Amino acid sequence: MDKRPIGVMDSGLGGLSVTRVLRDQLPNESIVFVGDQGHFPYGIKTRKEIQQLSLKIGNFLLTHDIKLMVIACNTATAAALQLLQEKLPVPVIGVIKPGAAAVAKHGYQVVGVIGTESTIKNNAYKKALDKVDPTLKVISHSTQPLVSIVEHGQTGTTIAQKTVNKELSVFDNQPIQALILGCTHFPFLEKEIAQKLGQDVQLIDPAYETVRQVKEFLTNQRLLSDDASPRIELYSTGEVEDLVDGAQKWLPNGYTKCEHIQLDMEDQR
């Protein structure tokens, strides 16, 4: 048994969608979450910038003696997973390969992928899906404005539905069987997305397969915690009030503390 926490990072609030699944599926695990809202959004940054920010957050999480790190951000996974796996002394798991693995289990012929500009530009999911099923038709589309809807607390509003309808109109004439929510912000818009696409389109949240892989790894390595009172610590590089609002909405009564941190990028290499 290992009571050290799991580290989780995201560009903003989206990683709370992974954190809540971790909390539900692994209730004895402590979690340290960093939302990099001070440098939001990642989706329009360069690969090098994303790598620098992700590594800095990884090093911050190491100061909390984490036993494993989850990059709960598709953009950061695509840009920095390999780097963090090479640089950090703990296992690092991203969300893209698990998302592709979740699709492979169902035998779809045509799937859609929505994500940030960076994730779609890098063809991150297309590459991962080609490896698990080269016959699969993948229709990828950048829906960057949806990230801001979540960050600004506008889920469940008329403007959220209108924005989703506009951003997903690309699928009106391209029927898909499933849609990968290729940004961890998007599960918080699941209701609006389902309203737009209809009940015949399966929505795939990579968080569940990601957490399943985390659980499998911790089990195999005998690193699971049996802590009866695990802690969930949340940190933001931006306005901590925004993280508090998001946590109260998506992690009700589920966190130990929520604080602001400053990441000095000048010493980053």
Side-chain angles (χ1 to χ4, degrees):
M1 293 297 174
D2 190 331
K3 294 184 179 181
R4 290 180 298 163
I6 295 170
V8 181
M9 70 153 285
D10 182 47
S11 61
L13 299 177
L16 293 176
S17 66
V18 178
T19 301
R20 67 179 179 180
V21 178
L22 274 170
R23 187 189 65 177
D24 292 344
Q25 300 294 322
L26 295 167
N28 298 116
E29 298 293 338
S30 291
I31 300 169
V32 180
F33 170 84
V34 176
D36 195 11
Q37 293 164 291
H39 300 100
F40 173 86
Y42 276 19
I44 58 174
K45 294 187 184 302
T46 66
R47 182 181 183 88
K48 183 177 181 180
E49 288 173 330
I50 296 168
Q51 289 179 335
Q52 290 177 330
L53 291 165
S54 300
L55 184 57
K56 193 66 177 178
I57 293 171
N59 286 328
F60 170 80
L61 290 171
L62 288 178
T63 67
H64 286 72
D65 194 27
I66 60 170
K67 60 186 175 184
L68 177 144
M69 178 178 176
V70 177
I71 305 179
C73 173
N74 289 267
T75 302
T77 295
L81 176 61
Q82 183 176 348
L83 176 69
L84 265 59
Q85 288 176 333
E86 293 172 354
K87 295 289 188 179
L88 300 183
V90 296
V92 183
I93 294 177
V95 289
I96 291 177
K97 285 185 178 180
V103 169
K105 294 179 179 180
H106 295 280
Y108 298 119
Q109 285 82 50
V110 184
V111 300
V113 178
I114 54 175
T116 65
E117 290 179 16
S118 178
T119 300
I120 300 303
K121 182 180 180 179
N122 291 336
N123 283 319
Y125 269 99
K126 181 66 167 65
K127 293 174 183 175
L129 289 166
D130 282 346
K131 291 180 180 179
V132 296
D133 185 357
T135 67
L136 185 67
K137 181 179 180 181
V138 181
I139 302 171
S140 302
H141 183 62
S142 170
T143 53
Q144 186 73 41
L146 300 188
V147 183
S148 294
I149 290 291
V150 175
E151 286 291 321
H152 292 120
Q154 296 175 316
T155 58
T157 65
T158 300
I159 189 172
Q161 189 64 64
K162 287 183 177 179
T163 305
V164 167
N165 291 349
K166 178 182 178 181
E167 293 298 316
L168 270 60
S169 62
V170 66
F171 299 112
D172 290 348
N173 299 313
Q174 300 186 81
I176 55 176
Q177 297 166 296
L179 179 70
I180 298 177
L181 306 181
C183 172
T184 52
H185 286 74
F186 296 168
F188 297 129
L189 287 166
E190 187 171 346
K191 183 182 296 184
E192 289 86 352
I193 294 172
Q195 176 67 30
K196 166 60 179 173
L197 296 180
Q199 61 182 5
D200 291 336
V201 178
Q202 180 70 39
L203 303 185
I204 296 178
D205 179 358
Y208 290 94
E209 179 64 20
T210 301
V211 173
R212 189 197 69 76
Q213 292 189 15
V214 169
K215 184 176 182 179
E216 181 179 49
F217 176 84
L218 294 178
T219 300
N220 291 340
Q221 298 297 316
R222 298 184 179 180
L223 294 175
L224 284 171
S225 173
D226 60 354
D227 195 342
S229 301
R231 68 188 190 280
I232 297 183
E233 299 180 5
L234 310 177
Y235 297 93
S236 172
T237 61
E239 295 294 332
V240 72
E241 292 81 6
D242 293 336
L243 182 54
V244 169
D245 289 343
Q248 289 178 342
K249 182 184 296 185
W250 297 308
L251 290 173
N253 302 315
Y255 59 94
T256 308
K257 67 178 179 179
C258 189
E259 297 180 356
H260 172 81
I261 58 170
Q262 186 72 35
L263 295 179
D264 182 7
M265 298 306 297
E266 292 182 0
D267 62 348
Q268 184 63 52
R269 298 290 183 265

